[in-house]
Amino acid sequence: MTDITQSRQVAATPDKVRGLPGHATVGTNDLDAASVFYDKLLAVFGIGRVLVQPNRAIYYGHRTLEFGIIKPFDGRPATVGNGGMIAFEAPSCSKVDEAHATALAAGGSDEGAPGPRGENGTGPYCAYFRDPEGNKFLIFRSGADAASRFRH
């Protein structure tokens, strides 16, 4: 069991609270490299570190644990889940674009360029990428912002 007394909390300062999925995690074999990637990616949404367990895990969120990168508890190498994907909702289409570009610039790989999805392009605005260890992510925007962008 991890000694949580060695953990340190770092406050995040968002302009408004908007949650990611409740406490989803991905495994990593290189916590330092993964933290560089996720520090950059999640900063696009104004999300910072909320809990750091040295040499074990880093958790991100607005004010509480929402997403984490962890070394597997069993000590074996982290592997990518087959068919698994984590989706982050963006406040706007431009944030979808920015997050996708940030992920690729930080070492991620493209799994689907930003754009409208669905029949006749009337669905949500989405982008897909993998982090440097192969975990798959979706960044999306549904609603007025996505619809208004393509009705000009």
Side-chain angles (χ1 to χ4, degrees), residues 30-94:
D30 187 339
L31 191 59
D32 292 334
S35 68
V36 170
F37 178 86
Y38 286 105
D39 286 349
K40 290 177 183 176
L41 175 65
L42 297 175
V44 170
F45 301 106
I47 296 170
R49 295 177 180 194
V50 292
L51 176 65
V52 175
Q53 295 173 323
N55 301 311
R56 172 73 193 98
I58 299 173
Y59 293 95
Y60 297 85
H62 282 104
R63 295 185 183 177
T64 187
L65 304 180
E66 296 177 86
F67 176 75
I69 52 176
I70 63 171
K71 289 186 172 181
F73 285 106
D74 65 9
R76 294 192 291 189
T79 58
V80 176
N82 185 21
M85 180 175 70
I86 295 174
F88 293 155
E89 184 176 3
S92 66
C93 292
S94 64

Side-chain angles (χ1 to χ4, degrees), residues 56-143:
R56 172 73 193 98
I58 299 173
Y59 293 95
Y60 297 85
H62 282 104
R63 295 185 183 177
T64 187
L65 304 180
E66 296 177 86
F67 176 75
I69 52 176
I70 63 171
K71 289 186 172 181
F73 285 106
D74 65 9
R76 294 192 291 189
T79 58
V80 176
N82 185 21
M85 180 175 70
I86 295 174
F88 293 155
E89 184 176 3
S92 66
C93 292
S94 64
K95 286 294 181 184
V96 172
D97 295 341
E98 183 182 352
H100 186 261
T102 298
L104 299 185
S109 60
D110 182 34
E111 285 284 320
R117 301 302 197 270
E119 190 173 321
N120 301 319
T122 58
Y125 190 81
C126 301
Y128 298 84
F129 64 88
R130 290 188 185 269
D131 71 6
E133 295 193 71
N135 297 295
K136 189 173 181 179
F137 290 84
L138 158 65
I139 306 290
F140 72 97
R141 175 65 197 157
S142 296

